Amino acid sequence: MPIRRLPPETVNRIAAGEVVERPASAIKELVDNAIDAGATRIEVEAHGGGLTRILVADDGCGLSAEELPVAIERHATSKLAPDADGLWDLLRIHTMGFRGEALPSIGSVARLSISSRAKGSKDAFSILVEGGAVGEVAPAAFAGDHGARIEVRDLFYATPARLKFMKSERAEALAITEEIKRQAMANEGVGFSLDIDGRRIIRLPPEHPGPQGRLARLSAVLGRDFHDNAIEIDQTRDGVRLTGFAGLPTYNRGNAAHQYLFVNGRPVRDRLLQGALRAAYADFLARDRHPTAALYISLDAAEVDVNVHPAKAEVRFRDPALVRGLIVGALRHALAAAGHRASTTTAASALDAIRAQSLAAPGAYPGYQPGPSPAGFSAWQAGGWTRPAPQVLPGLSDVSARYEAAPEEAYATRAEAFAGGGVAEAVREAAFGDYDAPPNVAYPGGGGLGEGPGPAFDPVDFPLGAARAQVHETYIVAQTRDGVVIVDQHAAHERLVYERMKGEMAAGGVARQALLLPEVVELDPAEAERVVARSEELAALGLVVESFGPGAVLVRETPALLGKTDAAGLVRDIADDLAENGAALALKERLEEVCSTMACHGSVRAGRRLNGAEMNALLREMEATPHSGQCNHGRPTYVELKLADIERLFGRR
């Protein structure tokens, strides 16, 4: 079979298949060029999902008449230049684009029109490319002082087969919107606008560069709730800096769509970074919940390779372990610093639920009974309204019905609650018995709580307030200076016990148990090598492994907490985690799951009566314990309702 040279138009169409996958990717390339040109405002329009028409206009430096025909040649770019020795350095890329493929690729499969006025020039010019056929440069009208206006019509008309693989117009429009959002989050100093089929979708004015401007831009894109529930991240390690904002664990989502990662200002999708983000939150969220975050990594351009994919959506780090460790460490440090803070959305959800119940129509839920007549309780006194009999809703026990039947038997006394044996009593003592001197906590009115009464201090000024009541022997109601806090006593204490167990495990190491007969686990040679390379890390977690020839690992000891466990299955899970995320998450998660289960069984149960001192001690310990705002599965341990919100419920505001 003879070897043939492909014609230029075929080469361009092959390249277009890599660079211009769909309308959103074409817009990405054009926006990248606008940012590289120094634009401060970028306007994007799309019709028919971007397949009918795309317009990208900017106020960048623009193109001269001489540059226009060169700009649409393959591998012609202004982003790279040779050094003094005539070498072209592809390791130090400081621009979004650099390959010189976007414009010729788009022009080979669509009708491309470029109009531009160079900065400092009085005249504007345009050029037209249709299916790879290049027209002449001609004078053109241009509204701005400088910049470029690029219009793409009939995308993929020159490659009809590609059109068959496009999704619906709505799906393509959503992809375009998502792309503009990512670009806007990466460049807070640039104003963005997006219109789709004549409808205004996005209007984002330029923000002041810096953390506050970035947070304002993120809030505009992700919503006000993100602003209220975001933790600022700013850590540097060995020349790599991580900045951005991450959501509280209780502010989580059902998928990973709200995780945005940027490397040197470039939006990327990287499995290493996503795995590090998952690892940082692994201790706070269930497997089916995902954190929200916008993280920005800045490092020397020579330490990251952005030339591993034509679309530049993937990167490769020279030291991936450093980057991963920085992400995990910085996020965990920030989450610990957040203390007992829980997301504001929990209160909003509670208020919405209350409003929904108050607006429910008769018959909207089982057991509904109308209340007193408008005449008020005088109607009840006159016999016009009788109190309905207690109803048992499907799947729920009616505590009030049992209380009406036998008040003295409805609840266990405090002594009976502790009658279960030494475990419950020991847990109680661990939680409340020595609370007179909690570590490293100071509040207004004096030093630590154990330093004596000090100046007079109203307990309602504590962050979680002063306990006022316990309802249904499950929830603690506390009063703060400007609202009410409702605490789930079991979930809160479960977190406290869990954090204490983790601290003890970290201080004393994970206890190990030796296998009577060491187990040989067969793996792929590469997997075995990865596992053995992390043997020290695994040993610290209680799993002792060693090499047993090519493609095999010998397990000598396992964590005692796991009891009798499937060592082979555990090692294979660890090998999978190392391949995907670069860390042995499987072992950590199993240990944490055991600790979580032990904490759940050893904590104060729902249905146990607490006295005032115990309730206040629980509140104070929550304030002193990191991550106490959520249980081990990411659910909130308390809800705070501001007085203003409560007043609105009753129409007082």
Side-chain angles (χ1 to χ4, degrees), residues 335-412:
L335 291 173
H340 67 277
R341 181 181 167 197
S343 67
T344 59
T345 54
T346 58
S349 299
L351 291 169
D352 290 343
I354 294 172
R355 293 188 184 101
Q357 289 288 345
S358 66
L359 296 176
Y365 57 89
Y368 173 85
Q369 291 288 337
S373 68
F377 283 96
S378 60
W380 168 70
Q381 292 175 342
W385 179 71
T386 58
R387 182 171 182 234
Q391 298 283 334
V392 178
L393 303 185
L396 299 177
S397 62
D398 190 350
V399 177
S400 62
R402 289 189 287 111
Y403 187 82
E404 289 287 333
E408 69 282 357
E409 298 177 4
Y411 305 114

Side-chain angles (χ1 to χ4, degrees), residues 202-507:
I202 292 177
R203 290 292 185 274
L204 297 172
E207 302 287 350
H208 191 276
Q212 295 307 312
R214 179 171 287 172
L215 182 57
R217 172 60 58 85
L218 293 175
S219 302
V221 174
L222 301 178
R224 180 69 188 180
D225 284 342
F226 183 82
H227 178 281
D228 296 337
N229 297 288
I231 308 169
E232 185 175 0
I233 310 293
D234 191 349
Q235 293 285 334
T236 302
R237 183 185 299 176
D238 295 341
V240 182
R241 185 182 183 191
L242 177 69
T243 59
F245 296 87
L248 292 166
T250 45
Y251 181 70
N252 54 62
R253 299 298 181 98
N255 56 46
H258 291 76
Q259 296 174 4
Y260 300 91
L261 304 169
F262 308 88
V263 177
N264 286 348
R266 185 187 306 277
V268 300
R269 293 177 175 86
D270 188 270
R271 291 175 62 185
L272 168 73
L273 303 183
Q274 291 173 335
L277 186 58
R278 173 176 170 255
Y281 280 85
D283 194 24
F284 313 112
L285 295 178
R287 275 187 171 270
D288 60 344
R289 304 303 298 177
H290 301 267
T292 59
L295 302 179
Y296 302 77
I297 298 174
S298 303
L299 72 169
D300 191 312
E303 298 298 317
V304 57
D305 186 1
V306 299
N307 194 27
V308 296
H309 190 278
K312 304 179 292 294
E314 301 175 7
V315 296
R316 184 172 298 148
F317 296 99
R318 187 183 297 273
D319 189 351
L322 169 63
V323 177
R324 185 188 181 283
L326 173 61
I327 293 175
V328 174
L331 284 172
R332 287 185 173 175
H333 178 77
L335 291 173
H340 67 277
R341 181 181 167 197
S343 67
T344 59
T345 54
T346 58
S349 299
L351 291 169
D352 290 343
I354 294 172
R355 293 188 184 101
Q357 289 288 345
S358 66
L359 296 176
Y365 57 89
Y368 173 85
Q369 291 288 337
S373 68
F377 283 96
S378 60
W380 168 70
Q381 292 175 342
W385 179 71
T386 58
R387 182 171 182 234
Q391 298 283 334
V392 178
L393 303 185
L396 299 177
S397 62
D398 190 350
V399 177
S400 62
R402 289 189 287 111
Y403 187 82
E404 289 287 333
E408 69 282 357
E409 298 177 4
Y411 305 114
T413 63
R414 180 168 179 267
E416 291 171 337
F418 287 119
V423 174
E425 185 66 28
V427 171
R428 175 189 174 280
E429 290 300 325
F432 305 121
D434 59 351
Y435 194 76
D436 291 337
N440 303 324
V441 181
Y443 291 102
L449 294 178
E451 296 180 5
F457 176 66
D458 193 336
V460 299
D461 288 320
F462 283 114
L464 293 180
R468 297 303 190 206
Q470 181 190 30
V471 295
H472 293 293
E473 295 189 332
T474 301
Y475 303 101
I476 298 170
V477 180
Q479 177 185 346
T480 63
R481 180 63 64 182
D482 60 348
V484 173
V485 172
I486 304 173
V487 178
D488 182 336
Q489 67 187 42
H490 173 63
H493 195 229
E494 178 183 348
R495 187 76 204 187
L496 300 179
V497 175
Y498 179 48
E499 290 296 328
R500 183 180 295 113
M501 291 178 67
K502 285 200 309 178
E504 293 172 352
M505 191 170 64

Side-chain angles (χ1 to χ4, degrees), residues 40-210:
T40 60
R41 293 185 180 275
I42 300 175
E43 300 174 4
V44 180
E45 297 179 12
H47 291 80
L51 295 170
T52 303
R53 176 177 177 266
I54 292 172
L55 173 67
V56 177
D58 67 73
D59 61 351
C61 62
L63 296 167
S64 65
E66 294 76 19
E67 291 174 319
L68 280 174
V70 181
I72 55 176
E73 293 182 9
R74 287 199 72 214
H75 303 309
T77 178
S78 62
K79 319 298 174 59
L80 296 177
D83 59 17
D85 298 326
L87 299 177
W88 298 76
D89 189 359
L90 288 177
L91 294 180
R92 295 185 179 274
I93 304 297
H94 299 281
T95 54
M96 297 298 102
F98 59 91
R99 299 171 66 102
E101 291 182 307
L103 292 178
S105 295
I106 296 172
S108 67
V109 296
R111 295 181 172 91
L112 173 67
S113 172
I114 305 175
S115 302
S116 182
R117 174 181 283 135
K119 199 168 189 177
S121 175
K122 295 181 180 179
D123 301 320
F125 300 89
S126 67
I127 192 170
L128 179 65
V129 185
E130 291 194 4
V134 182
E136 297 292 330
V137 176
F142 194 84
D145 295 334
H146 52 81
R149 181 183 177 90
I150 302 177
E151 188 173 18
V152 181
R153 291 185 178 272
D154 303 326
L155 186 62
F156 299 127
Y157 91 96
T159 53
R162 176 56 68 90
L163 283 173
K164 298 179 182 179
F165 292 91
M166 293 297 105
K167 298 183 179 179
S168 66
E169 289 186 5
R170 174 177 172 78
E172 298 298 340
L174 290 174
I176 291 171
T177 302
E178 183 65 21
E179 181 58 43
I180 296 302
K181 286 181 178 180
R182 287 180 177 273
Q183 294 283 1
M185 287 188 282
N187 303 276
E188 69 272 8
V190 179
F192 285 85
S193 69
L194 171 64
D195 291 357
I196 295 181
D197 294 327
R199 293 181 292 109
R200 180 178 296 185
I201 304 299
I202 292 177
R203 290 292 185 274
L204 297 172
E207 302 287 350
H208 191 276

